[in-house]
Amino acid sequence: MSNAGDHETSRLDDAARAGWLYYVAGNTQDEIARKLGVSRQSAQRLVSLAVSEKLVKVRLDHPIARCMELAHGLSEKFGLVSCEVAPSDPDAPAALTGVAQLAAGEIERLLKSDHPKIIALGTGRALRACVEQLPKMDCPQHRIVSLLGNMMSDGAATPYNVVIRMADRVNARHYPMPLPVFARSVEEKQLLQQQEAVHNILELARQADVTYVGIGNIGDNAPLLIDGFVSREETRALIKAGAVGEITSWVFDRSGKLIDGLTNDRVASAILHVSPSKPVIAIAVGTLKTDAILAAMRGRLINGLITDEATAEHLLNH
């Protein structure tokens, strides 16, 4: 009896995977057949089964067993209070779509609560992709607060700040941080953070019921460097000091400890407060970020993770 049940679960898993590749990743049935190692007719049947079994709606609505195993393994190994793993497209291991939809589903469930919530947001490409997947909603009971400044040093808007974008989609009160991401000096940072509006925003961030952040790697392709927040010389100094990653521009080493001095002296972002009842959940994808994600989990800078299969495998085998 259990064999029949196992076969049915495996068949639904295959159908869910085929449905995801077709409807989310935009693969043709020939591509799905190749990726799953089945005939084109089988691929067609699996996609049809995904629809008939209502596994596929707008987002994938069936937890693939392997994804659940990986999420459980990461939770056990790193003491996470929350972990979700989306399927990966074998040909596009760094694609954000699946993770963005999974994270959007989680945030949508949170926003449907009648009980007022404070949601704090970091920044980054993965988080922005997630916000783009949120449906239009009406949530005036909630407050959305930014953990970091929304300006470059010259006053230009930062490219991946998502608070205003999310608030527009869900009609919630929002509190963008009216600061540059980095102050020019320690003294300027102290002056900026003493402003009453900024002080109120930092206090709101501290009270957040849930926090969603991205994770950046440190190196030649670091988001902080590419997006113009730090110079190449500053990046080299951070690497020399042992930096492997950053969350809301706070830079940390392999053990998840914040780097002393350097850019951390000037970063104007809120400090992350992690607790089981008020989780800090990272939305992060890609093997380039493996060291940074591992360090963030080791140092308890985060206690939740939304990622994909390929990244999860790397994290567990590292």
Side-chain angles (χ1 to χ4, degrees):
M1 187 71 181
S2 67
N3 281 350
D6 289 348
H7 176 72
E8 178 66 5
T9 300
S10 173
R11 195 171 70 101
L12 287 177
D13 281 356
D14 288 344
R17 197 176 292 273
W20 185 88
L21 286 167
Y22 188 78
Y23 289 104
V24 179
N27 287 258
T28 66
Q29 289 178 353
D30 284 332
E31 287 171 325
I32 294 167
R34 180 174 57 78
K35 288 176 183 181
L36 298 185
V38 297
S39 68
R40 189 182 187 284
Q41 289 74 19
S42 292
Q44 197 171 4
R45 279 197 296 272
L46 286 170
V47 172
S48 298
L49 181 63
V51 176
S52 65
E53 292 290 325
K54 295 185 170 58
L55 306 182
V56 175
K57 295 177 184 173
V58 177
R59 290 189 284 265
L60 185 62
D61 204 29
H62 177 83
I64 291 172
R66 181 59 185 150
C67 292
M68 293 179 71
E69 286 166 16
L70 290 166
H72 179 72
L74 287 169
S75 295
E76 290 283 299
K77 187 172 180 178
F78 296 102
L80 303 177
V81 298
S82 167
C83 187
E84 298 276 352
V85 176
S88 291
D89 179 345
D91 281 356
L96 292 173
T97 312
V99 166
Q101 291 196 342
L102 189 62
E106 187 171 303
I107 294 172
E108 185 184 344
R109 283 190 290 276
L110 180 71
L111 290 168
K112 282 180 176 172
S113 166
D114 291 330
H115 185 68
K117 303 275 186 197
I118 301 171
I119 301 166
L121 295 178
T123 187
R125 292 156 177 81
L127 202 48
R128 189 170 83 168
C130 159
V131 168
E132 298 294 348
Q133 296 286 345
L134 281 173
K136 289 277 190 183
M137 298 174 72
D138 193 34
C139 308
Q141 71 275 33
H142 302 314
R143 287 176 286 177
I144 303 168
V145 58
S146 181
L147 291 169
L148 72 167
N150 59 1
M151 287 185 282
M152 309 290 284
S153 56
D154 65 357
T158 54
Y160 296 101
N161 200 288
V162 295
V163 167
I164 295 170
R165 199 174 286 246
M166 179 167 163
D168 283 345
R169 288 190 90 85
V170 303
N171 189 31
R173 282 178 292 165
H174 62 288
Y175 300 81
M177 186 90 73
L179 294 180
V181 174
F182 289 100
R184 285 171 295 190
S185 65
V186 177
E187 293 74 25
E188 183 181 78
K189 172 181 165 177
Q190 289 168 345
L191 276 172
L192 291 170
Q193 291 189 334
Q194 282 166 12
Q195 295 175 50
E196 188 178 350
V198 175
H199 182 77
N200 290 344
I201 288 167
L202 291 171
E203 182 56 26
L204 265 183
R206 193 186 65 77
Q207 294 172 20
D209 295 287
V210 60
T211 297
Y212 292 97
V213 295
I215 294 182
N217 51 299
I218 298 295
D220 290 338
N221 51 8
L224 279 182
L225 175 63
I226 291 167
D227 295 335
F229 292 106
V230 299
S231 67
R232 202 161 287 283
E233 292 71 31
E234 285 172 322
T235 305
R236 285 197 202 102
L238 287 167
I239 293 167
K240 193 175 174 186
V244 298
E246 56 88 13
I247 294 174
T248 63
S249 302
W250 286 105
V251 182
F252 51 88
D253 66 15
R254 235 162 240 291
S255 63
K257 182 176 176 293
L258 294 182
I259 298 288
D260 286 329
L262 301 175
T263 58
N264 278 352
D265 275 349
R266 297 183 292 106
V267 66
S269 309
I271 293 166
L272 296 174
H273 296 277
V274 178
S275 78
S277 61
K278 295 184 173 183
V280 175
I281 300 168
I283 303 170
V285 180
T287 52
L288 271 178
K289 297 189 176 187
T290 302
D291 287 345
I293 300 169
L294 283 169
M297 292 191 292
R298 284 189 200 113
R300 305 293 291 163
L301 295 171
I302 60 171
N303 59 355
L305 179 64
I306 300 174
T307 190
D308 67 0
E309 273 179 293
T311 311
E313 296 270 10
H314 274 270
L315 292 169
L316 280 171
N317 295 330
H318 220 61

PDB file of all heavy atoms in Angstrom, residues 225 230-240 262-263:
ATOM      1  N   LEU A 225      29.255  47.230  -4.436  1.00  0.00           N
ATOM      2  CA  LEU A 225      30.234  47.816  -5.353  1.00  0.00           C
ATOM      3  C   LEU A 225      29.572  48.148  -6.698  1.00  0.00           C
ATOM      4  O   LEU A 225      29.697  49.265  -7.205  1.00  0.00           O
ATOM      5  CB  LEU A 225      31.407  46.848  -5.558  1.00  0.00           C
ATOM      6  CG  LEU A 225      32.476  47.254  -6.572  1.00  0.00           C
ATOM      7  CD1 LEU A 225      33.178  48.542  -6.146  1.00  0.00           C
ATOM      8  CD2 LEU A 225      33.501  46.128  -6.750  1.00  0.00           C
ATOM      9  N   VAL A 230      29.982  51.523  -2.415  1.00  0.00           N
ATOM     10  CA  VAL A 230      31.355  51.497  -1.899  1.00  0.00           C
ATOM     11  C   VAL A 230      32.322  51.485  -3.080  1.00  0.00           C
ATOM     12  O   VAL A 230      31.970  51.067  -4.184  1.00  0.00           O
ATOM     13  CB  VAL A 230      31.620  50.267  -0.988  1.00  0.00           C
ATOM     14  CG1 VAL A 230      30.707  50.272   0.230  1.00  0.00           C
ATOM     15  CG2 VAL A 230      31.466  48.962  -1.751  1.00  0.00           C
ATOM     16  N   SER A 231      33.536  51.949  -2.839  1.00  0.00           N
ATOM     17  CA  SER A 231      34.561  51.983  -3.882  1.00  0.00           C
ATOM     18  C   SER A 231      35.290  50.645  -3.948  1.00  0.00           C
ATOM     19  O   SER A 231      35.162  49.800  -3.055  1.00  0.00           O
ATOM     20  CB  SER A 231      35.566  53.099  -3.583  1.00  0.00           C
ATOM     21  OG  SER A 231      36.298  52.767  -2.411  1.00  0.00           O
ATOM     22  N   ARG A 232      36.083  50.473  -4.998  1.00  0.00           N
ATOM     23  CA  ARG A 232      36.882  49.254  -5.128  1.00  0.00           C
ATOM     24  C   ARG A 232      37.901  49.148  -3.981  1.00  0.00           C
ATOM     25  O   ARG A 232      38.158  48.066  -3.458  1.00  0.00           O
ATOM     26  CB  ARG A 232      37.588  49.248  -6.493  1.00  0.00           C
ATOM     27  CG  ARG A 232      37.994  47.855  -6.967  1.00  0.00           C
ATOM     28  CD  ARG A 232      38.247  47.817  -8.454  1.00  0.00           C
ATOM     29  NE  ARG A 232      37.041  47.904  -9.252  1.00  0.00           N
ATOM     30  CZ  ARG A 232      36.196  46.904  -9.448  1.00  0.00           C
ATOM     31  NH1 ARG A 232      36.407  45.737  -8.884  1.00  0.00           N
ATOM     32  NH2 ARG A 232      35.126  47.051 -10.219  1.00  0.00           N
ATOM     33  N   GLU A 233      38.448  50.304  -3.589  1.00  0.00           N
ATOM     34  CA  GLU A 233      39.426  50.314  -2.487  1.00  0.00           C
ATOM     35  C   GLU A 233      38.754  49.888  -1.173  1.00  0.00           C
ATOM     36  O   GLU A 233      39.317  49.111  -0.401  1.00  0.00           O
ATOM     37  CB  GLU A 233      40.035  51.720  -2.313  1.00  0.00           C
ATOM     38  CG  GLU A 233      40.928  52.180  -3.447  1.00  0.00           C
ATOM     39  CD  GLU A 233      40.155  52.496  -4.743  1.00  0.00           C
ATOM     40  OE1 GLU A 233      38.975  52.932  -4.650  1.00  0.00           O
ATOM     41  OE2 GLU A 233      40.714  52.277  -5.837  1.00  0.00           O
ATOM     42  N   GLU A 234      37.535  50.401  -0.950  1.00  0.00           N
ATOM     43  CA  GLU A 234      36.802  50.020   0.272  1.00  0.00           C
ATOM     44  C   GLU A 234      36.460  48.535   0.242  1.00  0.00           C
ATOM     45  O   GLU A 234      36.533  47.856   1.279  1.00  0.00           O
ATOM     46  CB  GLU A 234      35.526  50.859   0.396  1.00  0.00           C
ATOM     47  CG  GLU A 234      35.787  52.291   0.825  1.00  0.00           C
ATOM     48  CD  GLU A 234      34.538  53.166   0.751  1.00  0.00           C
ATOM     49  OE1 GLU A 234      33.731  53.007  -0.209  1.00  0.00           O
ATOM     50  OE2 GLU A 234      34.368  54.012   1.642  1.00  0.00           O
ATOM     51  N   THR A 235      36.115  48.022  -0.942  1.00  0.00           N
ATOM     52  CA  THR A 235      35.806  46.588  -1.074  1.00  0.00           C
ATOM     53  C   THR A 235      37.034  45.753  -0.738  1.00  0.00           C
ATOM     54  O   THR A 235      36.940  44.755  -0.006  1.00  0.00           O
ATOM     55  CB  THR A 235      35.319  46.264  -2.505  1.00  0.00           C
ATOM     56  OG1 THR A 235      34.215  47.102  -2.820  1.00  0.00           O
ATOM     57  CG2 THR A 235      34.903  44.813  -2.631  1.00  0.00           C
ATOM     58  N   ARG A 236      38.205  46.169  -1.260  1.00  0.00           N
ATOM     59  CA  ARG A 236      39.449  45.434  -0.969  1.00  0.00           C
ATOM     60  C   ARG A 236      39.746  45.437   0.540  1.00  0.00           C
ATOM     61  O   ARG A 236      40.166  44.430   1.102  1.00  0.00           O
ATOM     62  CB  ARG A 236      40.626  46.068  -1.726  1.00  0.00           C
ATOM     63  CG  ARG A 236      40.628  45.737  -3.208  1.00  0.00           C
ATOM     64  CD  ARG A 236      41.982  46.005  -3.853  1.00  0.00           C
ATOM     65  NE  ARG A 236      41.839  46.183  -5.292  1.00  0.00           N
ATOM     66  CZ  ARG A 236      41.859  47.364  -5.909  1.00  0.00           C
ATOM     67  NH1 ARG A 236      42.034  48.481  -5.214  1.00  0.00           N
ATOM     68  NH2 ARG A 236      41.719  47.437  -7.216  1.00  0.00           N
ATOM     69  N   ALA A 237      39.519  46.586   1.178  1.00  0.00           N
ATOM     70  CA  ALA A 237      39.768  46.694   2.623  1.00  0.00           C
ATOM     71  C   ALA A 237      38.818  45.773   3.396  1.00  0.00           C
ATOM     72  O   ALA A 237      39.229  45.126   4.381  1.00  0.00           O
ATOM     73  CB  ALA A 237      39.596  48.145   3.083  1.00  0.00           C
ATOM     74  N   LEU A 238      37.581  45.677   2.943  1.00  0.00           N
ATOM     75  CA  LEU A 238      36.601  44.799   3.604  1.00  0.00           C
ATOM     76  C   LEU A 238      36.999  43.330   3.453  1.00  0.00           C
ATOM     77  O   LEU A 238      36.931  42.549   4.410  1.00  0.00           O
ATOM     78  CB  LEU A 238      35.196  45.031   3.019  1.00  0.00           C
ATOM     79  CG  LEU A 238      34.510  46.347   3.413  1.00  0.00           C
ATOM     80  CD1 LEU A 238      33.283  46.599   2.542  1.00  0.00           C
ATOM     81  CD2 LEU A 238      34.123  46.347   4.885  1.00  0.00           C
ATOM     82  N   ILE A 239      37.437  42.951   2.226  1.00  0.00           N
ATOM     83  CA  ILE A 239      37.870  41.568   1.992  1.00  0.00           C
ATOM     84  C   ILE A 239      39.079  41.244   2.866  1.00  0.00           C
ATOM     85  O   ILE A 239      39.156  40.169   3.485  1.00  0.00           O
ATOM     86  CB  ILE A 239      38.197  41.343   0.493  1.00  0.00           C
ATOM     87  CG1 ILE A 239      36.919  41.457  -0.351  1.00  0.00           C
ATOM     88  CG2 ILE A 239      38.851  39.984   0.267  1.00  0.00           C
ATOM     89  CD1 ILE A 239      37.154  41.558  -1.845  1.00  0.00           C
ATOM     90  N   LYS A 240      40.006  42.181   2.955  1.00  0.00           N
ATOM     91  CA  LYS A 240      41.211  42.002   3.785  1.00  0.00           C
ATOM     92  C   LYS A 240      40.835  41.797   5.261  1.00  0.00           C
ATOM     93  O   LYS A 240      41.494  41.063   5.996  1.00  0.00           O
ATOM     94  CB  LYS A 240      42.129  43.217   3.628  1.00  0.00           C
ATOM     95  CG  LYS A 240      43.521  43.008   4.172  1.00  0.00           C
ATOM     96  CD  LYS A 240      44.415  44.194   3.870  1.00  0.00           C
ATOM     97  CE  LYS A 240      45.775  44.027   4.543  1.00  0.00           C
ATOM     98  NZ  LYS A 240      46.613  45.230   4.374  1.00  0.00           N
ATOM     99  N   LEU A 262      35.690  50.418   9.322  1.00  0.00           N
ATOM    100  CA  LEU A 262      35.514  50.510   7.868  1.00  0.00           C
ATOM    101  C   LEU A 262      34.110  51.046   7.539  1.00  0.00           C
ATOM    102  O   LEU A 262      33.639  51.976   8.195  1.00  0.00           O
ATOM    103  CB  LEU A 262      35.798  49.155   7.197  1.00  0.00           C
ATOM    104  CG  LEU A 262      37.221  48.601   7.434  1.00  0.00           C
ATOM    105  CD1 LEU A 262      37.379  47.216   6.832  1.00  0.00           C
ATOM    106  CD2 LEU A 262      38.268  49.552   6.885  1.00  0.00           C
ATOM    107  N   THR A 263      33.436  50.488   6.541  1.00  0.00           N
ATOM    108  CA  THR A 263      32.140  51.052   6.128  1.00  0.00           C
ATOM    109  C   THR A 263      31.070  50.890   7.213  1.00  0.00           C
ATOM    110  O   THR A 263      30.093  51.653   7.238  1.00  0.00           O
ATOM    111  CB  THR A 263      31.637  50.397   4.818  1.00  0.00           C
ATOM    112  OG1 THR A 263      31.518  48.991   5.018  1.00  0.00           O
ATOM    113  CG2 THR A 263      32.586  50.686   3.664  1.00  0.00           C
TER     114      THR A 263
END
